[in-house]
Amino acid sequence: MLGAELTPRSRRRARRAATRAATVAANNERLFLLLATLRAASADSLHALHFTRAPLAVTRRQAYRTLASLEAAGYLARRALGARRVIYRLTARAFEAHESLRRRASDVARRDPPAALAHYLWLRAALWAALAREGYRVGRGVDAQLALRRFLLGRQAKAVAAATGEARARAERVLAHLRGDPELTPLFRSVCPRCGITGPLMEALDRCSSCRGALEQQPARERYRCTRCRLVSDGPIAHRRARRGGAACDGLMRLADPLRFDLAWRRGAAGEDVVVLVIDDPTVALNEQLRALPLHTLGQPKVPVILRTTDPLSTYNQWEARWEVLGARHQQLLRAFSAEGDARLFPYATTAQVIDVRPDLQIRLIATKKEIT
């Protein structure tokens, strides 16, 4: 009855349920952080990206049971995408469970995504999982940024060593440009390993002002961006706006990824092995997504790229390994990376090498002979 007091027994049950829920949340912070990054993912993708990693290494059945228990406890919400696909996303209760999630997630990440975006999120997580099974790490963090930097600088240095004359001078100019590219340079501070003194952000210092010892440049593990003035720092600092007379800024400092695109990387026989993932986000203009890619320096090493479309019309015939239908946006994406290119865009064919990985990972599939019309 409404307004009735709880009995001692019901209070004990409520306390035990709250304790179990808190324990479940505490034991799954890493999973919650992964979902905060992806926004949503299928159980199969989460198994590959989280549950197979040490120290978990649990079976698929155990992983599915954990997801079901988190859903029952109110930390995850499940959503069906048609008859064959289901994705999980974090609920408001999950975001409140950990400070690490509140610092990272925006208000948009807390909402149930619309249908077109939900399919994109499923596809993105599925491709991450496919690459993880091949031994890649996937993400947009500092480690990804450093891997991409090593890849580009390492290959360009080899191009410089192999060139002569004017070709060598051009290759050296490209190398200098890549070294100074802010998109490839992580935030860092000069740190004294002897006395622990830390220098200003992004200033390369040689000697410690206290002990005169040699300083080491250490990359920042976190990157924060102000939601109002867009200031970037390695911590959630109080700051002033660059404009408006330097008034104190009341914007929130949110954790932000150094890269604006997904990167897969692993150590290969020839050094760093990287792949850029171009998964068309239906909520962002295609030109804007392409401008974020590290492919805008003529003469730079070619970067392997995987293309995926979210065009509402494109349909892949899995049985015959070909496209049944190519939508307009899909054609635009392919044209941007073709040898002919698009006169309105950068010639991406000169700086990218399109590769194909798991072509069956598509949003719209014809999977059997019976579905072929």
Side-chain angles (χ1 to χ4, degrees), residues 120 123 277-286 289 307-311 329-330 333 363:
Y120 157 78
L123 177 61
L277 280 60
V278 182
I279 308 171
D280 181 19
D281 184 340
T283 65
V284 181
L286 186 58
Q289 296 179 65
L307 302 181
R308 281 297 185 276
T309 183
T310 56
D311 191 290
R329 182 141 160 162
H330 187 178
L333 178 62
I363 290 180

Side-chain angles (χ1 to χ4, degrees), residues 175-188:
L175 180 59
H177 175 79
L178 293 173
R179 279 182 176 148
D181 188 343
E183 297 287 339
L184 299 175
T185 306
L187 299 179
F188 70 89

